[in-house]
């Protein structure tokens, strides 16, 4: 169940995050996020998520992990925030030297459904795969995410990406129909 947010809370949150680069003091930014999150009920998954984001965005992935885990454990994160929490938790774990946990989370996330964040899941997964020595698979995942966005060569790049992990013969070159 999605928790109700106070009127205009989303707007104020968006404004605060849009001004992240204007904050010269990371602690002051985290305090501003904490104050905004403090307007939500105790145990709020959204509050934990926002606090995790603030720690992550100011160079403290170690502190972010606990918030993301709590936010996800409640089951109360609405759609996009839930998926973002998984992506960001996985990224933080990778940054903390725990790439296999990251790979596991992101692989499960790819199998959990599809939305506009699929490419972000794949990009983060590609980074995590390099951390566990699966570079060919990482390139395949990255190319698979990139191929549909190319102005040409979508078919060829998708085939190349597939072949990186299949050990098959290369398809016809990019100029082929």
């Amino acid at each position: 169940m999605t928790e109700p947010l106070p009127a205009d809370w989303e707007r104020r949150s968006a404004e605060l995050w849009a001004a992240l680069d204007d904050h010269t003091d990371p602690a002051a930014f985290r305090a501003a996020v904490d104050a905004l999150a403090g307007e939500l009920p105790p145990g709020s998954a959204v509050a934990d998520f926002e606090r995790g984001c603030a720690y992550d965005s100011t160079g403290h992935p170690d502190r972010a992990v606990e918030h993301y885990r709590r936010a996800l454990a409640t089951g109360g994160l609405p759609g996009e925030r839930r998926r973002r929490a998984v992506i960001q938790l996985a990224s933080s774990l990778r940054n903390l030297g725990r790439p296999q946990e990251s790979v596991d989370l992101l692989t499960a996330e790819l199998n959990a459904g599809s939305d506009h964040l699929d490419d972000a899941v794949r990009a983060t997964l590609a980074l995590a795969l390099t951390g566990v020595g699966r570079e060919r698979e990482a390139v395949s995942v990255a190319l698979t995410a990139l191929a549909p966005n190319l102005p040409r060569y979508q078919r060829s790049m998708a085939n190349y990406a597939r072949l990186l992990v299949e050990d098959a013969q290369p398809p016809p070159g990019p100029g082929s129909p």
Side-chain angles (χ1 to χ4, degrees):
M1 182 166 111
T2 302
E3 62 187 72
L5 300 175
D8 87 333
W9 192 92
E10 290 282 14
R11 179 191 55 77
R12 291 181 294 127
S13 176
E15 288 172 358
L16 178 59
W17 282 103
L20 171 62
D21 291 335
D22 298 335
H23 285 80
T24 57
D25 179 8
F29 179 77
R30 287 191 304 271
V33 170
D34 189 55
L36 190 62
E39 295 177 18
L40 302 178
S44 164
V46 172
D48 269 323
F49 171 73
E50 294 294 326
R51 288 177 175 122
C53 293
Y55 278 111
D56 229 354
S57 297
T58 58
H60 295 279
D62 54 323
R63 299 285 309 273
V65 166
E66 65 189 83
H67 290 285
Y68 294 145
R69 286 197 192 280
R70 254 195 323 269
L72 289 165
T74 69
L77 279 179
E80 183 173 318
R81 273 198 178 97
R82 189 209 60 78
R83 198 147 205 225
R84 286 177 52 208
V86 171
I87 294 165
Q88 292 167 210
L89 171 59
S91 179
S92 293
L93 290 169
R94 183 190 68 82
N95 287 331
L96 294 170
R98 295 157 55 189
Q100 187 58 56
E101 287 180 69
S102 180
V103 167
D104 295 344
L105 279 169
L106 295 165
T107 300
E109 189 61 28
L110 278 179
N111 296 323
S114 182
D115 66 13
H116 69 282
L117 292 174
D118 287 352
D119 288 347
V121 173
R122 287 186 180 96
T124 308
L125 176 58
L127 287 170
L129 287 167
T130 65
V132 295
R134 294 163 56 187
E135 289 84 1
R136 288 180 67 86
E137 188 176 349
V139 172
S140 176
V141 168
L143 284 175
T144 298
L146 176 63
N149 302 301
L150 298 173
R152 291 193 47 88
Y153 316 116
Q154 296 92 347
R155 183 179 152 277
S156 296
M157 286 301 143
N159 284 328
Y160 288 139
R162 180 182 49 78
L163 291 172
L164 278 169
V165 293
E166 283 185 5
D167 291 328
Q169 293 298 313
S176 300

